[in-house]
Amino acid sequence: MTKRAGILVAVGATVAGLVTAVPSTASTAPAGTGPGAPAAASPSWTGCGTKSYPALQCATVRAPLDHDNPSGRQVTLALSRIPHTAKKSQGPLLVNPGGPGGSGLSMAGFVASSLPEKLAAQYDVIGFDPRGVGKSTPALDCLPKYFDSVRPDTVPDSYEAETTARNRAASFAAACGEKHGDLLPYMDTVSAAKDLDVIRRALGAPQINYFGYSYGTYLGAVYAKLFPERVRRLVLDSVVDPDGVWYEDNLGQDHAFDARHKAFAAWVAKNDATYGLGSDPAAVEAAWYGMRDAVKKQPAAGKVGPGELEDTFMPGGYYNGYWPRLAEAFAAYVNDKDQEALATAYEDFAAVDRSGDNGYSVYAAVQCRDAGWPRNWNTWRNDTWRAHRKAPFMSWNNTWYNAPCATWPVEPLEPVRVTNDGIPPALILQATDDAATPYEGGVTMSRRLKGSGLVVEQGGGNHGITLSGNDCLDAHLVDYLTDGTVPTGGGSGADAVCDALPEPKPAPATKAATNTKGSTLHGLLGFRG
């Protein structure tokens, strides 16, 4: 999941405060992992409070670049914290927004302020930038401005166009190898999970509580596999399918995002009185593809070609709270020929800034290293065209996003089999219509983690569903973080079911974001993970 530039407006002040407040110094003690490893130096916390989260503190810890060589080269991990205030603490609660490549520093303040005050007071809520990300150092940035507009059309209409796109992806992989060749062998989920244990030991905690969204669910499951005795509580929201890491999972996304794009078109059609794009969902979808054809011929405001258009509307597949804003831009372009409206939506939802360059570099580094990807391009081509015929919205876009893995300069690892019967019951939360991490992933993970409780949001299509305005889901989260209670359905499938929140109202975009919890969370989660 890479951070886009504009969509972080709701939490921008918080992020800015963290960026300037993380101390530049860190402990120098070497740190291995696992039982018997040397003690990590305690973090030196300093105030880095913001207007939204005045109690926030920041620090850094050091971890080995290569955990098999704990006394060798070190990396710095940036941390944030809302400390507990209750007399009795339940220990650290590490929170992660996903990715790979997502910054987690703002998550501590968000989670602590979103939980009931009495419950949040019992935890030290810890945010962190994983290795290579954000304020952790060294930070990756393989090829700055790789996503600058206007990029070639994602759907190749000739052999030459496909070759150009392949070469472009290969150039990104080569740039990563040239610039960060010393880091790439250690950019993987297992290394990041071992970093979590360094953080645990630096905090002086015998166990951790962990709460992860999206890719953060896989990171948490891998940590639990490596250090089962160190897990106290484990919350996984919007779950990566551990059996599809990562090529198959991305193919699954192609179909799921297309379904969410159709749901968006149906919502626009339902609200034809507001948007004037027709009352037939198929006609609305056809109008969207007509817009795509138009910007291919002439990019809107010189900025938005077909790839940028897909990127602009893709966030609607993560969170339907963005639908009113996207629909307004869609209608303005189609009905009023307003190119600037589309360009503004692109800047807000899709333009990649420096943090986005960093996030994508880490995304590629981790996913390409974690597991094997096809090296024969015919496999990519055939699978993508097969998906595109049924799901044209983003199949080729997704392929090019991941295509650097076809020529990645570091050999892949074997994925971790996360099956686990050695941890306390985990809480797993999953929406049935999630596009980024389709429903089957939550079911699979619940089967892999013995004794876990699966809570399903029936009819929900958002990615990241707790602390986002659904009281039913949040009640399960609160019960679990209070005393470890998980629902037990007594059979296969869901152990508890919550109804999805109502669809957004077609109010003007300036008034549409009535679910402030949802908009804040999804600004933090970003996209692509």
Short mmCIF file of all heavy atoms in Angstrom, two decimals, residues 66-108:
data_model
loop_
_atom_site.label_atom_id
_atom_site.label_comp_id
_atom_site.label_asym_id
_atom_site.label_seq_id
_atom_site.Cartn_x
_atom_site.Cartn_y
_atom_site.Cartn_z
N ASP A 66 21.02 -7.35 9.08
CA ASP A 66 20.96 -8.80 8.90
C ASP A 66 20.80 -9.44 10.27
O ASP A 66 21.73 -9.41 11.08
CB ASP A 66 22.23 -9.29 8.21
CG ASP A 66 22.28 -10.80 8.04
OD1 ASP A 66 21.31 -11.48 8.43
OD2 ASP A 66 23.30 -11.28 7.51
N HIS A 67 19.64 -9.97 10.56
CA HIS A 67 19.40 -10.52 11.89
C HIS A 67 20.23 -11.77 12.17
O HIS A 67 20.35 -12.18 13.34
CB HIS A 67 17.91 -10.81 12.08
CG HIS A 67 17.10 -9.58 12.33
ND1 HIS A 67 17.04 -8.95 13.55
CD2 HIS A 67 16.32 -8.84 11.49
CE1 HIS A 67 16.26 -7.89 13.47
NE2 HIS A 67 15.80 -7.79 12.23
N ASP A 68 20.83 -12.35 11.16
CA ASP A 68 21.75 -13.47 11.39
C ASP A 68 23.14 -12.98 11.77
O ASP A 68 24.01 -13.77 12.12
CB ASP A 68 21.85 -14.35 10.12
CG ASP A 68 20.57 -15.12 9.86
OD1 ASP A 68 19.83 -15.39 10.83
OD2 ASP A 68 20.30 -15.45 8.69
N ASN A 69 23.35 -11.68 11.70
CA ASN A 69 24.61 -11.06 12.09
C ASN A 69 24.31 -9.87 12.99
O ASN A 69 24.44 -8.71 12.59
CB ASN A 69 25.39 -10.62 10.85
CG ASN A 69 26.72 -9.98 11.18
OD1 ASN A 69 27.28 -10.20 12.27
ND2 ASN A 69 27.24 -9.18 10.27
N PRO A 70 23.86 -10.14 14.22
CA PRO A 70 23.35 -9.06 15.09
C PRO A 70 24.37 -8.00 15.44
O PRO A 70 23.98 -6.89 15.82
CB PRO A 70 22.85 -9.79 16.33
CG PRO A 70 23.54 -11.12 16.31
CD PRO A 70 23.75 -11.46 14.86
N SER A 71 25.65 -8.29 15.33
CA SER A 71 26.67 -7.28 15.67
C SER A 71 27.14 -6.52 14.44
O SER A 71 28.03 -5.68 14.55
CB SER A 71 27.87 -7.96 16.34
OG SER A 71 28.47 -8.91 15.47
N GLY A 72 26.52 -6.78 13.29
CA GLY A 72 26.92 -6.10 12.07
C GLY A 72 26.19 -4.78 11.87
O GLY A 72 25.75 -4.13 12.83
N ARG A 73 26.06 -4.38 10.64
CA ARG A 73 25.46 -3.10 10.29
C ARG A 73 24.05 -2.98 10.88
O ARG A 73 23.29 -3.94 10.90
CB ARG A 73 25.39 -2.96 8.78
CG ARG A 73 24.81 -1.63 8.31
CD ARG A 73 24.77 -1.58 6.78
NE ARG A 73 24.10 -0.38 6.30
CZ ARG A 73 23.84 -0.12 5.02
NH1 ARG A 73 24.22 -0.99 4.09
NH2 ARG A 73 23.22 0.99 4.66
N GLN A 74 23.73 -1.80 11.36
CA GLN A 74 22.45 -1.55 12.01
C GLN A 74 21.56 -0.64 11.15
O GLN A 74 22.06 0.18 10.37
CB GLN A 74 22.66 -0.89 13.37
CG GLN A 74 23.57 -1.66 14.31
CD GLN A 74 22.91 -2.90 14.87
OE1 GLN A 74 21.95 -2.81 15.64
NE2 GLN A 74 23.43 -4.06 14.51
N VAL A 75 20.26 -0.77 11.32
CA VAL A 75 19.29 0.17 10.76
C VAL A 75 18.58 0.84 11.92
O VAL A 75 18.57 0.34 13.05
CB VAL A 75 18.28 -0.53 9.83
CG1 VAL A 75 18.97 -1.14 8.64
CG2 VAL A 75 17.46 -1.57 10.58
N THR A 76 17.98 1.98 11.64
CA THR A 76 17.25 2.73 12.66
C THR A 76 15.76 2.62 12.40
O THR A 76 15.31 2.82 11.27
CB THR A 76 17.67 4.21 12.64
OG1 THR A 76 19.07 4.30 12.90
CG2 THR A 76 16.92 5.00 13.70
N LEU A 77 15.01 2.31 13.44
CA LEU A 77 13.56 2.21 13.35
C LEU A 77 12.93 3.37 14.13
O LEU A 77 13.22 3.56 15.31
CB LEU A 77 13.07 0.89 13.94
CG LEU A 77 13.70 -0.38 13.36
CD1 LEU A 77 13.24 -1.61 14.14
CD2 LEU A 77 13.36 -0.53 11.88
N ALA A 78 12.10 4.15 13.45
CA ALA A 78 11.43 5.28 14.09
C ALA A 78 10.16 4.80 14.77
O ALA A 78 9.37 4.05 14.19
CB ALA A 78 11.10 6.35 13.05
N LEU A 79 9.95 5.24 16.02
CA LEU A 79 8.80 4.83 16.82
C LEU A 79 7.99 6.05 17.26
O LEU A 79 8.52 7.16 17.37
CB LEU A 79 9.25 4.08 18.08
CG LEU A 79 10.23 2.92 17.96
CD1 LEU A 79 10.51 2.34 19.34
CD2 LEU A 79 9.68 1.85 17.03
N SER A 80 6.72 5.82 17.53
CA SER A 80 5.89 6.81 18.20
C SER A 80 5.12 6.10 19.31
O SER A 80 4.97 4.88 19.30
CB SER A 80 4.91 7.47 17.21
OG SER A 80 4.04 6.51 16.65
N ARG A 81 4.64 6.89 20.28
CA ARG A 81 3.97 6.26 21.43
C ARG A 81 2.96 7.20 22.07
O ARG A 81 3.22 8.39 22.22
CB ARG A 81 5.01 5.87 22.49
CG ARG A 81 4.42 5.27 23.75
CD ARG A 81 5.49 4.87 24.77
NE ARG A 81 6.07 6.00 25.47
CZ ARG A 81 6.81 5.91 26.59
NH1 ARG A 81 7.09 4.71 27.10
NH2 ARG A 81 7.30 7.00 27.16
N ILE A 82 1.82 6.63 22.42
CA ILE A 82 0.93 7.24 23.40
C ILE A 82 1.04 6.38 24.65
O ILE A 82 0.59 5.23 24.65
CB ILE A 82 -0.53 7.29 22.91
CG1 ILE A 82 -0.66 8.12 21.63
CG2 ILE A 82 -1.44 7.85 24.00
CD1 ILE A 82 -0.44 9.61 21.81
N PRO A 83 1.66 6.87 25.71
CA PRO A 83 1.90 6.02 26.87
C PRO A 83 0.63 5.73 27.66
O PRO A 83 -0.33 6.51 27.64
CB PRO A 83 2.90 6.83 27.70
CG PRO A 83 2.65 8.25 27.30
CD PRO A 83 2.23 8.22 25.87
N HIS A 84 0.64 4.61 28.37
CA HIS A 84 -0.52 4.26 29.19
C HIS A 84 -0.58 5.20 30.40
O HIS A 84 0.44 5.73 30.84
CB HIS A 84 -0.43 2.81 29.66
CG HIS A 84 0.54 2.59 30.77
ND1 HIS A 84 1.90 2.43 30.58
CD2 HIS A 84 0.35 2.49 32.12
CE1 HIS A 84 2.50 2.25 31.74
NE2 HIS A 84 1.58 2.29 32.69
N THR A 85 -1.77 5.40 30.90
CA THR A 85 -1.97 6.25 32.07
C THR A 85 -2.66 5.52 33.21
O THR A 85 -2.73 6.04 34.32
CB THR A 85 -2.79 7.50 31.70
OG1 THR A 85 -4.03 7.10 31.10
CG2 THR A 85 -2.03 8.39 30.71
N ALA A 86 -3.17 4.32 32.94
CA ALA A 86 -3.82 3.54 33.99
C ALA A 86 -2.78 2.98 34.95
O ALA A 86 -1.61 2.82 34.60
CB ALA A 86 -4.63 2.40 33.38
N LYS A 87 -3.21 2.70 36.18
CA LYS A 87 -2.27 2.15 37.16
C LYS A 87 -1.74 0.79 36.73
O LYS A 87 -0.58 0.45 36.97
CB LYS A 87 -2.97 2.03 38.53
CG LYS A 87 -3.27 3.38 39.18
CD LYS A 87 -3.91 3.20 40.55
CE LYS A 87 -4.18 4.54 41.22
NZ LYS A 87 -4.81 4.40 42.56
N LYS A 88 -2.59 0.00 36.08
CA LYS A 88 -2.18 -1.32 35.61
C LYS A 88 -2.15 -1.32 34.09
O LYS A 88 -3.15 -1.00 33.45
CB LYS A 88 -3.14 -2.40 36.13
CG LYS A 88 -2.69 -3.82 35.78
CD LYS A 88 -3.62 -4.85 36.39
CE LYS A 88 -3.15 -6.26 36.05
NZ LYS A 88 -4.06 -7.31 36.64
N SER A 89 -1.02 -1.69 33.53
CA SER A 89 -0.85 -1.67 32.08
C SER A 89 -1.04 -3.07 31.50
O SER A 89 -0.68 -4.07 32.13
CB SER A 89 0.54 -1.16 31.71
OG SER A 89 0.81 -1.32 30.33
N GLN A 90 -1.60 -3.11 30.30
CA GLN A 90 -1.67 -4.37 29.55
C GLN A 90 -0.50 -4.52 28.59
O GLN A 90 -0.47 -5.44 27.77
CB GLN A 90 -3.00 -4.47 28.79
CG GLN A 90 -4.22 -4.54 29.69
CD GLN A 90 -5.37 -5.28 29.03
OE1 GLN A 90 -5.19 -6.37 28.48
NE2 GLN A 90 -6.55 -4.69 29.07
N GLY A 91 0.48 -3.62 28.68
CA GLY A 91 1.68 -3.74 27.86
C GLY A 91 1.59 -2.96 26.57
O GLY A 91 0.64 -2.21 26.32
N PRO A 92 2.58 -3.12 25.68
CA PRO A 92 2.59 -2.38 24.42
C PRO A 92 1.61 -2.96 23.42
O PRO A 92 1.45 -4.18 23.31
CB PRO A 92 4.03 -2.54 23.94
CG PRO A 92 4.50 -3.82 24.54
CD PRO A 92 3.80 -3.94 25.87
N LEU A 93 0.96 -2.07 22.68
CA LEU A 93 0.09 -2.44 21.56
C LEU A 93 0.72 -1.85 20.31
O LEU A 93 0.63 -0.64 20.06
CB LEU A 93 -1.32 -1.91 21.77
CG LEU A 93 -2.30 -2.07 20.59
CD1 LEU A 93 -2.54 -3.55 20.29
CD2 LEU A 93 -3.63 -1.35 20.88
N LEU A 94 1.40 -2.68 19.53
CA LEU A 94 2.03 -2.22 18.30
C LEU A 94 0.99 -2.17 17.19
O LEU A 94 0.23 -3.13 17.00
CB LEU A 94 3.18 -3.15 17.89
CG LEU A 94 4.55 -2.86 18.54
CD1 LEU A 94 4.51 -3.07 20.04
CD2 LEU A 94 5.64 -3.72 17.91
N VAL A 95 0.94 -1.05 16.45
CA VAL A 95 -0.08 -0.85 15.43
C VAL A 95 0.60 -0.60 14.08
O VAL A 95 1.63 0.07 14.01
CB VAL A 95 -1.02 0.30 15.80
CG1 VAL A 95 -1.83 -0.06 17.04
CG2 VAL A 95 -0.27 1.60 16.04
N ASN A 96 0.01 -1.15 13.02
CA ASN A 96 0.60 -1.04 11.70
C ASN A 96 -0.49 -0.83 10.66
O ASN A 96 -1.50 -1.54 10.66
CB ASN A 96 1.40 -2.30 11.36
CG ASN A 96 2.04 -2.24 9.99
OD1 ASN A 96 1.45 -2.62 9.00
ND2 ASN A 96 3.27 -1.75 9.94
N PRO A 97 -0.32 0.16 9.74
CA PRO A 97 -1.37 0.48 8.77
C PRO A 97 -1.32 -0.33 7.48
O PRO A 97 -2.20 -0.18 6.64
CB PRO A 97 -1.10 1.95 8.47
CG PRO A 97 0.39 2.05 8.54
CD PRO A 97 0.79 1.13 9.67
N GLY A 98 -0.27 -1.14 7.29
CA GLY A 98 -0.20 -1.93 6.08
C GLY A 98 0.93 -1.50 5.17
O GLY A 98 1.87 -0.84 5.56
N GLY A 99 0.80 -1.88 3.92
CA GLY A 99 1.84 -1.61 2.94
C GLY A 99 2.03 -2.83 2.04
O GLY A 99 1.05 -3.30 1.48
N PRO A 100 3.26 -3.38 1.98
CA PRO A 100 4.46 -2.87 2.63
C PRO A 100 4.84 -1.49 2.12
O PRO A 100 4.61 -1.17 0.96
CB PRO A 100 5.53 -3.91 2.29
CG PRO A 100 4.98 -4.72 1.18
CD PRO A 100 3.52 -4.57 1.17
N GLY A 101 5.38 -0.70 3.01
CA GLY A 101 5.79 0.65 2.67
C GLY A 101 5.01 1.74 3.37
O GLY A 101 5.31 2.91 3.19
N GLY A 102 4.00 1.37 4.17
CA GLY A 102 3.21 2.36 4.86
C GLY A 102 3.86 2.84 6.15
O GLY A 102 4.34 2.04 6.94
N SER A 103 3.86 4.15 6.36
CA SER A 103 4.37 4.72 7.60
C SER A 103 3.34 4.52 8.71
O SER A 103 2.15 4.77 8.52
CB SER A 103 4.65 6.21 7.43
OG SER A 103 4.92 6.83 8.68
N GLY A 104 3.81 4.09 9.87
CA GLY A 104 2.90 3.83 10.98
C GLY A 104 3.00 4.81 12.12
O GLY A 104 2.38 4.61 13.16
N LEU A 105 3.76 5.90 11.97
CA LEU A 105 3.96 6.80 13.10
C LEU A 105 2.68 7.47 13.56
O LEU A 105 2.48 7.70 14.75
CB LEU A 105 5.01 7.86 12.74
CG LEU A 105 6.43 7.35 12.51
CD1 LEU A 105 7.36 8.50 12.17
CD2 LEU A 105 6.95 6.59 13.73
N SER A 106 1.78 7.79 12.63
CA SER A 106 0.54 8.45 13.01
C SER A 106 -0.49 7.49 13.60
O SER A 106 -1.48 7.93 14.19
CB SER A 106 -0.08 9.14 11.80
OG SER A 106 0.75 10.18 11.34
N MET A 107 -0.27 6.18 13.43
CA MET A 107 -1.26 5.22 13.88
C MET A 107 -1.39 5.18 15.40
O MET A 107 -2.48 4.89 15.92
CB MET A 107 -0.90 3.82 13.38
CG MET A 107 -1.12 3.61 11.89
SD MET A 107 -2.83 3.81 11.37
CE MET A 107 -3.60 2.41 12.18
N ALA A 108 -0.32 5.46 16.12
CA ALA A 108 -0.40 5.39 17.58
C ALA A 108 -1.42 6.39 18.11
O ALA A 108 -2.29 6.05 18.92
CB ALA A 108 0.98 5.66 18.19
#
